[in-house]
Amino acid sequence: MVCAVRGSVVRHADLDAGEPRLKLILAVDALVPPLTGIGRYAWELASHYQILHNDLDSMRFFFAGQWVGDPAALLQPPDARRLALKRKRWPVRYPKSWRQWRLRREMRGHVFHSPNYFLPESVDSGIVTVHDLSVFKYPEMHPAARIKHFESGFASTLARAAHLITDSEATRSEVIDYFGWSPERITAIALGAQPEFRRRDASEIAVALSGYGLVQGGYSLCVSTLEPRKRIDRLLAAYLDLPPSLRARYPLVLAGSTGWLSDVLRDQIERGEREGWLRYLGFVDETLLPLLYSGARAFLFPSIYEGFGLPVLEAMASGVPTLTSNSSSLPEVAGGAAWLVEPDDHDLLRDGIQQVLCDDSWREAAITRGLQVASASTWERCAKRTLDVCRRFA
């Protein structure tokens, strides 16, 4: 047996002869720091595939037209990243068509999995993960360049894809309806929460929270990019309508990149910060984020549309009572553990926030149920199920 766990190829000569010999290529284009949700998905698959190397005959990583030996290097400082991406230079006399032919030859006999919507031009067939259809359903909520990219390239990917993976049954149903795909050609595989998202004692997180001027159980939390479909504007309006004493006792903490920060939302944030009931932290490093979750009194995530809604799972894994929307995949992810609301109904959203903050009986039941739901959704399980899908095409 030859095993290069952090190399570009993992080989096993003693695999059970009765098992399909899976040679897998994973696209890692989404591994760009800081990791987005899709970047996290790609990283967890890459990491667990290397742990699960006994299930593979070979494993290679593909980034922007070139092979990558160690995907972890893509998340390192610029110098290390450039070294990992040092491209093999073909003589200028070799045209693009020849280079594409060469890549196809190297990929022969492998199953190619793209975890980020698109198959590269050099891939004739493969498995593709479609996380959501927001660019089609809510185009007004996306930059023009992203819409153009999907309009020009996604049809080609669907024409070549042998199978699709979605993060939820809700998205799977959308893909079936929107593109007319056969249900047998789409598999829903739930995402997972990292072990770092767990219940913690106050002493374990006190120092980290004090750096933000926070204490355990003394704030509500929303982790989200600030963009229209996340309904942060609705959340702030509802929070402002809570009794002043409740807002003062449990200020709202927002964490996440600015995204589509509209002028109205900017004004709302500035007003809340001036009045003392809102803290906007911006992007929070992933080493501190689990501590921020575990210290929250409640987690609020009123997004109107998600392919999965990973923050909801992470909050429940942290033992935090959660409010989220009653739409798209979010009820599926919550599994009966969260308070569900229509985010565009101001009164229901405001009353739901107060319920999650103040109803101790409901809170206790929600914590117990949330921990049960989250324990069944792990990245290891996600990786194993994804490998099972890939093995069907070996």
Side-chain angles (χ1 to χ4, degrees):
M1 177 188 300
V2 179
C3 175
V5 176
R6 285 290 179 181
S8 60
V9 180
V10 181
R11 298 189 183 281
H12 297 270
D14 55 352
L15 289 174
D16 188 334
E19 290 292 322
R21 298 178 66 84
L22 175 58
K23 297 181 178 181
L24 183 64
I25 299 171
L26 179 68
V28 289
D29 302 71
L31 295 188
V32 178
L35 288 177
T36 63
I38 297 178
R40 167 58 56 190
Y41 172 70
W43 170 249
E44 293 293 343
L45 289 184
S47 300
H48 282 84
Y49 286 172
Q50 292 178 93
I51 295 171
L52 299 168
H53 56 75
N54 284 323
D55 294 336
L56 298 169
D57 182 32
S58 71
M59 177 81 236
R60 302 191 77 178
F61 302 101
F62 192 73
F63 184 103
Q66 57 193 303
W67 302 110
V68 174
D70 182 3
L74 299 174
L75 303 179
Q76 298 304 309
D79 289 345
R81 180 180 173 86
R82 280 194 293 269
L83 184 62
L85 293 176
K86 189 174 182 181
R87 186 185 298 271
K88 180 177 180 180
R89 297 189 179 278
W90 301 107
V92 293
R93 67 177 180 273
Y94 293 143
K96 179 181 178 181
S97 59
W98 185 91
R99 295 194 298 270
Q100 296 288 347
W101 171 83
R102 181 61 180 263
L103 282 173
R104 287 187 174 94
R105 182 179 178 184
E106 293 176 351
M107 293 178 182
R108 190 176 301 158
H110 292 74
V111 174
F112 191 100
H113 176 206
S114 169
N116 190 15
Y117 290 99
F118 293 92
L119 287 173
E121 292 181 16
S122 54
V123 177
D124 294 325
S125 180
I127 297 169
V128 179
T129 300
V130 177
H131 297 279
D132 63 56
L133 297 185
S134 62
V135 73
F136 299 102
K137 299 188 67 173
Y138 303 99
E140 71 279 6
M141 298 182 182
H142 291 271
R146 184 181 303 162
I147 296 172
K148 184 177 180 180
H149 183 44
F150 271 85
E151 289 178 344
S152 63
F154 195 56
S156 171
T157 286
L158 290 181
R160 289 175 286 143
H163 199 82
L164 299 181
I165 294 173
T166 62
D167 301 335
S168 63
E169 289 292 346
T171 303
R172 178 174 178 268
S173 296
E174 287 184 341
V175 173
I176 292 171
D177 294 340
Y178 196 89
F179 294 108
W181 267 55
S182 167
E184 291 75 21
R185 297 180 63 197
I186 312 174
T187 302
I189 301 176
L191 308 185
Q194 296 172 274
E196 288 80 4
F197 292 95
R198 56 181 174 81
R199 299 191 77 177
R200 300 172 188 264
D201 295 331
S203 58
E204 188 179 354
I205 61 176
V207 174
L209 293 185
S210 66
Y212 293 110
L214 302 172
V215 295
Q216 186 181 46
Y219 59 94
S220 300
L221 177 66
C222 176
V223 177
S224 172
T225 304
L226 305 187
E227 59 183 55
R229 68 184 170 97
K230 304 295 186 176
R231 292 302 195 259
I232 304 303
D233 57 339
R234 308 291 202 278
L235 173 61
L236 298 189
Y239 218 86
L240 179 61
D241 206 18
L242 292 174
S245 60
L246 191 60
R247 282 188 281 125
R249 185 178 182 184
Y250 304 116
L252 175 62
V253 174
L254 288 178
S257 302
T258 54
W260 289 60
L261 189 58
S262 69
D263 292 339
V264 173
L265 182 54
R266 189 187 306 275
D267 292 342
Q268 287 179 289
I269 291 175
E270 291 176 353
R271 174 185 176 181
E273 290 187 312
R274 284 196 309 269
E275 296 176 350
W277 56 267
L278 176 65
R279 293 280 308 280
Y280 177 51
L281 305 183
F283 175 78
V284 175
D285 186 87
E286 64 177 14
T287 60
L288 294 175
L289 197 57
L291 308 182
L292 195 62
Y293 268 99
S294 62
R297 171 78 176 179
F299 185 75
L300 311 173
F301 194 75
S303 175
I304 197 171
Y305 181 80
E306 298 289 326
F308 185 79
L310 189 56
V312 169
L313 184 65
E314 293 170 343
M316 295 191 302
S318 303
V320 181
T322 297
L323 173 146
T324 192
S325 300
N326 60 359
S327 59
S328 66
S329 67
L330 292 164
E332 179 184 338
V333 174
W339 190 272
L340 302 180
V341 298
E342 166 52 57
D344 290 333
D345 188 313
H346 175 83
D347 292 342
L348 289 179
L349 180 55
R350 178 202 59 212
D351 295 345
I353 294 171
Q354 190 160 350
Q355 178 82 17
V356 173
L357 285 172
C358 301
D359 188 334
D360 289 334
S361 177
W362 180 87
R363 287 173 50 81
E364 183 177 349
I367 290 172
T368 300
R369 175 59 182 164
L371 291 171
Q372 293 173 345
V373 172
S375 67
S377 298
T378 66
W379 283 116
E380 180 182 9
R381 183 172 185 269
C382 176
K384 286 182 175 179
R385 290 197 62 202
T386 305
L387 281 180
D388 287 343
V389 171
C390 294
R391 188 172 290 107
R392 287 160 49 188
F393 298 89

